[in-house]
Amino acid sequence: MEVGASTHVGKVRPNNEDGYLVRDGLLAVADGMGGHRAGEVASATALAVLRDYPFGPGDPSAELAAAVQAAHSRVRALASQDPSMSGMGTTVTVARVTGDRVYVAHVGDSRLYLWRAGQLHQVTADHSVAAELLRAGQIDEVAARFHPHRHILTRAVGVGDQLDVDVTDLPLEPGDGLLLCTDGLTALVDDADIARVLLEQPTPQAAADALVELALARGGTDNVTVVVARAD
Ligand code: MN
């Protein structure tokens, strides 16, 4: 797999609470939240747990879910030790590519997309108030896009006792692409524009850079992080 990644603080926020991980077939993004620098600590902690997790020969979906649960426990433990970190949390969207399959674990409103034959498919479901209302049929897509609670998460790594982790897996075909991103991209750049950039840019790194630039050109209202991978 050829992989490119880019992250930027944006044009409004004082610090970058996003992070990403690219290592040995493991791709992840995390978007932290919390006061002071707690958001940065939450996302960096979760990504470090994923980076160091002892993945073995077991069921990849179960291992990936266990890795996210380990990140949840670690972020909670840090928050309980330091009052300034209380309430911190993070999204985690992580993909593990093994041979011709990709395994995905996900919590929050960062996203993973599959890019296949020029079409973009959103694989993960957003865990936000607006997205849950949309799935329940209580509001439409336009209302969801402008909903005052569109950024409020219904699940986050490090928040609450029990964490429900979405896991899924799908086959990869030669030429397929994967895109992982935080909401700093998708709040400003819609799926059609993401697909256009992936089509235009020659390499995953060029695509990641161009997508971040597009979010910045449209205001850069949040931290923005993009990981792009292309299967051989
Ligand atoms: Mn964000």
Side-chain angles (χ1 to χ4, degrees):
M1 277 216 132
E2 188 186 354
V3 182
S6 184
T7 187
H8 196 285
V9 65
K11 295 189 165 175
V12 175
R13 302 289 177 92
N15 44 5
N16 193 349
E17 300 184 323
D18 282 4
Y20 67 83
L21 169 67
V22 173
R23 178 164 156 163
D24 297 339
L26 207 56
L27 313 169
V29 296
D31 177 349
M33 60 188 192
H36 306 289
R37 298 201 160 258
E40 283 171 84
V41 173
S43 57
T45 299
L47 292 169
V49 170
L50 294 175
R51 182 194 65 213
D52 297 336
Y53 193 82
F55 291 101
D59 172 51
S61 290
E63 286 200 338
L64 211 47
V68 175
Q69 294 289 356
H72 177 60
S73 298
R74 183 79 188 118
V75 173
R76 270 174 60 90
L78 282 182
S80 70
Q81 288 161 15
D82 182 344
S84 74
M85 302 285 167
S86 174
M88 70 175 172
T90 184
T91 73
V92 168
T93 301
V94 55
R96 190 176 164 211
V97 180
T98 61
D100 56 1
R101 259 191 122 66
V102 58
Y103 298 83
V104 181
H106 163 73
V107 175
D109 67 350
S110 300
R111 291 181 182 173
L112 183 139
Y113 290 90
L114 173 69
W115 164 254
R116 175 172 290 168
Q119 299 285 326
L120 197 64
H121 309 274
Q122 187 178 335
V123 173
T124 52
D126 296 347
H127 302 139
S128 67
V129 171
E132 309 268 6
L133 289 171
L134 176 63
R135 279 198 291 282
Q138 293 180 26
I139 59 173
D140 64 15
E141 290 216 17
V142 173
R145 202 160 177 85
F146 297 100
H147 196 280
H149 294 161
R150 63 189 177 279
H151 299 301
I152 307 283
L153 298 184
T154 52
R155 296 187 216 175
V157 169
V159 177
D161 282 335
Q162 301 292 321
L163 180 67
D164 202 5
V165 179
D166 287 355
V167 288
T168 189
D169 61 278
L170 53 153
L172 277 183
E173 297 172 3
D176 279 355
L178 298 173
L179 178 131
L180 293 83
C181 62
T182 58
D183 70 327
L185 179 71
T186 49
L188 297 170
V189 181
D190 66 17
D191 289 7
D193 285 338
I194 293 173
R196 180 177 50 78
V197 171
L198 290 175
L199 198 62
E200 285 171 358
Q201 295 297 327
T203 65
Q205 187 60 56
D209 290 338
L211 287 167
V212 168
E213 285 302 320
L214 190 51
L216 294 176
R218 292 181 180 177
T221 47
D222 192 4
N223 308 147
V224 55
T225 301
V226 178
V227 175
V228 178
R230 208 164 280 170
D232 302 324

